[in-house]
């Protein structure tokens, strides 16, 4: 984890690798103001993101099963190389089930150079022999999870085709925001957009309302959104902002009452305390020619009011 120079000294003191109960490494990032994030090598999944006051911002189910290979119900599982179950692979692809490694020697990041104020970890996923049998494409998936000095969580992903033939993929950062009460939440930034509704066999509709509010199950992929989406939580008096690049679509998911009861790793009433809003690239798959690389960036921030 050590890197040379002043920034590296700070990063070295703020980046800690621990083991979870299954012996899988987790990286804990802590900035100098006391915000933190925890990312597991199981799935490259962010499991916790806390403010400098120790307030948890991501939802994790009280019934979550912490046992690989299944992903933990909460945090930010990564859906790759497929989103959903429309394809030859298992639901949401295999990346969230795999054990990633810490990337000791990542190639330089061209954009968003890291300043001294950021702490980060670099993770890497490469396909195993087993993965190549079900998805015969060699790739390097590099993920930088970073905590800024303000406590924002950024996830920069780079996927490189190291095949000799092109491949296509979809991807989503399935972000479970922790909220006070689903009935008190609204999402802005999706107004007038077209969406595919998973509750109606991915039929295409157009969003009519001013802002999205919730009174029943929602399972949609909003298409070609702007790069800034906001989740307002009135009761909690806090607003999440999602800034994204290279991720045109937005998944919005809340299972509501009936579906909650059908999920073994989710409490019957927990749908009230979570909302998934994902930066994603789903409708138009990303195609990489041999040697090409795709970059996507997601930045999550929170503001408290009152
Ligand atoms: C959402 C899908 O993104 O993820 C839903 O649109 C799905 O259909 C949900 O139920 C959770 O998926 P999983 O595989 O983590 O249970």
């Amino acid at each position: 984890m050590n890197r040379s120079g002043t920034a590296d000294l700070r990063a070295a003191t703020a980046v800690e690798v621990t083991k979870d109960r299954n012996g899988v490494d987790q990286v804990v990032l802590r900035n100098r103001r006391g915000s933190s994030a925890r990312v597991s090598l199981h799935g490259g999944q962010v499991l916790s993101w806390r403010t400098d006051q120790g307030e948890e911002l991501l939802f994790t189910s009280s019934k979550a099963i912490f046992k690989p290979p299944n992903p933990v119900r909460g945090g930010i599982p990564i859906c790759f190389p497929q989103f959903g179950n429309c394809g030859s692979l298992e639901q949401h692809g295999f990346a969230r089930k795999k054990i990633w490694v810490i990337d000791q020697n990542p190639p330089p990041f061209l954009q968003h150079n890291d300043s001294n104020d950021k702490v980060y970890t670099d993770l890497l996923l490469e396909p195993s022999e087993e993965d190549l049998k079900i998805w015969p494409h060699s790739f390097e998936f590099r993920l930088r999870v970073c905590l800024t000095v303000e406590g924002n969580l950024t996830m920069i992903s780079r996927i490189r085709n190291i095949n000799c033939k092109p491949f296509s993929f979809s991807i989503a950062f399935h972000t479970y925001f922790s909220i006070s009460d689903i009935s008190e939440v609204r999402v802005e930034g999706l107004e007038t957009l077209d969406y595919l509704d998973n509750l109606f066999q991915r039929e295409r509709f157009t969003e009519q309302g001013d802002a999205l509010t919730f009174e029943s199950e929602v399972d949609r992929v909003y298409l070609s959104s702007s790069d800034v989406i906001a989740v307002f939580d009135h009761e909690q008096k806090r607003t999440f902002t999602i800034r994204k690049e290279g991720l045109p679509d937005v998944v919005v998911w809340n299972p509501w009452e009936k579906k909650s009861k059908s999920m073994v790793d989710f409490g019957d009433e927990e749908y009230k305390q979570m909302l998934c809003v994902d930066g994603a690239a789903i409708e138009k798959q990303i195609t990489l020619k041999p040697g090409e690389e795709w970059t996507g960036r997601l930045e999550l921030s929170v503001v408290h009011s009152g």
Side-chain angles (χ1 to χ4, degrees), residues 100-113:
W100 295 49
V101 295
I102 292 173
D103 192 0
Q104 300 289 0
N105 196 16
F109 276 69
L110 295 178
Q111 292 177 346
H112 306 289
N113 278 342

Side-chain angles (χ1 to χ4, degrees), residues 71 73 83-84 91-92 96 174 176 198 219-220 251 253 259 263 278:
R73 177 72 63 196
F83 177 82
Q91 160 108 332
H92 293 335
R96 63 182 182 159
H174 204 5
Y176 286 74
N198 284 324
D219 190 350
R220 299 176 182 170
V251 176
W253 180 60
K259 184 154 187 182
M263 294 191 287
D278 319 358

Side-chain angles (χ1 to χ4, degrees), residues 18 25 31 47 56 58 74 88 97 110 118-119 170 179 188 191-192 215 299 302:
T18 60
D25 283 346
N31 75 6
L47 293 176
E56 179 59 61
L58 298 176
S88 57
K97 291 187 164 180
L110 295 178
K118 293 180 177 175
V119 281
S170 48
I179 55 168
E188 287 191 7
E191 304 82 3
T192 73
E215 50 191 25
E299 176 159 3
V302 67

Side-chain angles (χ1 to χ4, degrees), residues 64-232:
I65 300 166
F66 291 84
K67 203 170 188 331
N70 289 328
V72 171
R73 177 72 63 196
I76 313 181
I78 298 172
C79 308
F80 171 86
Q82 174 183 300
F83 177 82
N85 52 17
C86 299
S88 57
L89 302 177
E90 61 191 298
Q91 160 108 332
H92 293 335
F94 51 77
R96 63 182 182 159
K97 291 187 164 180
K98 298 292 163 183
I99 302 296
W100 295 49
V101 295
I102 292 173
D103 192 0
Q104 300 289 0
N105 196 16
F109 276 69
L110 295 178
Q111 292 177 346
H112 306 289
N113 278 342
D114 298 282
S115 75
N116 297 351
D117 289 330
K118 293 180 177 175
V119 281
Y120 57 85
T121 185
D122 288 301
L123 305 186
L124 172 65
L125 178 69
E126 292 176 296
S128 63
E129 291 291 313
E130 191 187 299
D131 301 332
L132 288 169
K133 283 185 198 149
I134 54 166
W135 202 66
H137 307 293
S138 294
F139 64 87
E140 291 167 344
F141 187 153
R142 292 197 151 79
L143 173 68
R144 173 166 290 184
V145 181
C146 173
L147 201 55
T148 69
V149 71
E150 299 84 11
N152 298 352
L153 182 75
T154 63
M155 298 176 76
I156 304 165
S157 302
R158 301 190 304 172
I159 296 169
R160 176 175 288 278
N161 182 346
I162 54 169
N163 248 350
C164 49
K165 57 183 196 301
F167 66 72
S168 302
F169 65 89
S170 48
I171 187 165
F173 295 88
H174 204 5
T175 308
Y176 286 74
F177 288 104
S178 171
I179 55 168
S180 56
D181 180 351
I182 187 69
S183 314
E184 297 292 327
V185 164
R186 76 175 202 275
V187 179
E188 287 191 7
L190 303 173
E191 304 82 3
T192 73
L193 293 184
D194 281 4
Y195 62 87
L196 306 179
D197 198 329
N198 284 324
L199 303 179
F200 293 92
Q201 292 77 47
R202 290 169 71 93
E203 201 180 320
R204 195 173 178 126
F205 297 92
T206 302
E207 184 59 55
Q208 305 289 349
D210 287 341
L212 193 60
T213 53
F214 301 89
E215 50 191 25
S216 59
E217 182 179 358
V218 173
D219 190 350
R220 299 176 182 170
V221 181
Y222 285 85
L223 307 175
S224 305
S225 86
S226 73
D227 284 339
V228 184
I229 307 292
V231 179
F232 293 87

